[in-house]
């Protein structure tokens, strides 16, 4: 189970079985899922993904994954995990559209970076972002991530790899 993290306005804590409906709603929202992994998935796949958080990720302590809450309500999802795609640790985060535009994305990304540096002892943290996701690219640029390279995906899309080194 990941440790609980607090920011000025957010609480990052472990998912509970009661979070399933909100998790599925977040991942079923195409405005969110279009930027996650391979894009929108079937509801049954998102439910299976939620189940794997408990049966695999938490049970085997594979990596840290959090429910992101504001005022007791699930408003997002966050992870930091080792991945071969960047040969290091990558941050992954998503917020529900009603939380967009209020600075919560910056707050969340900064919390993940701090956790990587301060708790995991990393010297750099990575993010992969679809080239069309200009909002996330701007956000990460503002908090010190630099564009390192591009990866051409099998579907022809372009993914930007960004890195932030410890200062």
């Amino acid at each position: 189970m990941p440790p609980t993290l607090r920011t000025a306005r957010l609480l990052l804590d472990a998912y509970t079985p009661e979070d399933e409906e909100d998790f599925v709603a977040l991942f079923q929202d195409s405005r969110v899922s279009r930027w996650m992994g391979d894009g929108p998935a079937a509801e049954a796949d998102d439910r299976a993904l939620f189940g794997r958080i408990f049966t695999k990720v938490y049970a085997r302590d594979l990596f840290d994954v959090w429910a992101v809450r504001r005022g007791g309500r699930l408003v997002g999802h966050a992870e930091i995990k080792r991945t071969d795609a960047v040969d290091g640790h990558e941050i992954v985060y998503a917020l529900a559209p009603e939380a967009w535009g209020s600075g919560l994305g910056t707050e969340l990304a900064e919390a993940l970076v701090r956790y990587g540096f301060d708790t995991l002892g990393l010297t750099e943290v990575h993010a992969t972002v679809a080239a069309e996701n200009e909002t996330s690219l701007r956000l990460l640029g503002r908090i010190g991530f630099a564009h390192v390279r591009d990866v051409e995906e099998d579907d022809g899309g372009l993914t930007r790899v960004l890195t932030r080194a410890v200062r």
Side-chain angles (χ1 to χ4, degrees):
M1 295 292 228
T4 298
L5 305 178
R6 293 181 192 281
T7 70
R9 298 176 291 167
L10 298 172
L11 172 69
L12 284 69
D13 65 358
Y15 280 103
T16 66
E18 294 75 29
D19 291 321
E20 182 173 359
E21 294 309 316
D22 291 332
F23 175 93
V24 170
L26 177 69
F27 278 71
Q28 283 292 295
D29 189 319
S30 61
R31 296 168 294 175
V32 175
S33 61
R34 71 181 287 210
W35 306 118
M36 302 288 292
D38 294 327
E43 181 179 333
D45 293 337
D46 287 337
R47 289 190 186 282
L49 175 62
F50 184 77
R52 286 192 303 275
I53 290 173
F54 298 95
T55 62
K56 289 190 178 187
V57 178
Y58 290 164
R60 298 180 192 165
D61 196 25
L62 295 179
F63 56 90
D64 294 306
V65 59
W66 294 272
V68 179
R69 303 178 199 284
R70 183 171 188 205
R73 195 166 161 266
L74 187 105
V75 295
H77 172 85
E79 309 174 7
I80 187 167
K81 61 185 175 184
R82 173 103 176 77
T83 176
D84 291 337
V86 296
D87 193 27
H89 281 73
E90 178 181 13
I91 63 170
V92 176
Y93 59 92
L95 286 172
E98 60 267 19
W100 294 355
S102 62
L104 292 177
T106 300
E107 198 171 308
L108 178 55
E110 284 280 27
L112 294 172
V113 169
R114 265 193 322 278
Y115 180 79
F117 292 156
D118 298 346
T119 303
L120 299 180
L122 304 174
T123 57
E124 59 184 18
V125 183
H126 308 277
T128 57
V129 181
E132 302 85 34
N133 190 345
E134 295 174 11
T135 302
S136 284
L137 291 169
R138 275 193 309 275
L139 181 158
L140 292 167
R142 278 195 312 272
I143 65 169
F145 278 79
H147 175 240
V148 186
R149 64 185 162 90
D150 290 333
V151 175
E152 188 172 338
E153 302 297 340
D154 292 339
D155 66 1
L158 201 60
T159 297
R160 303 232 184 268
V161 178
L162 300 101
T163 300
R164 177 168 157 187
V166 72
R167 294 181 182 147

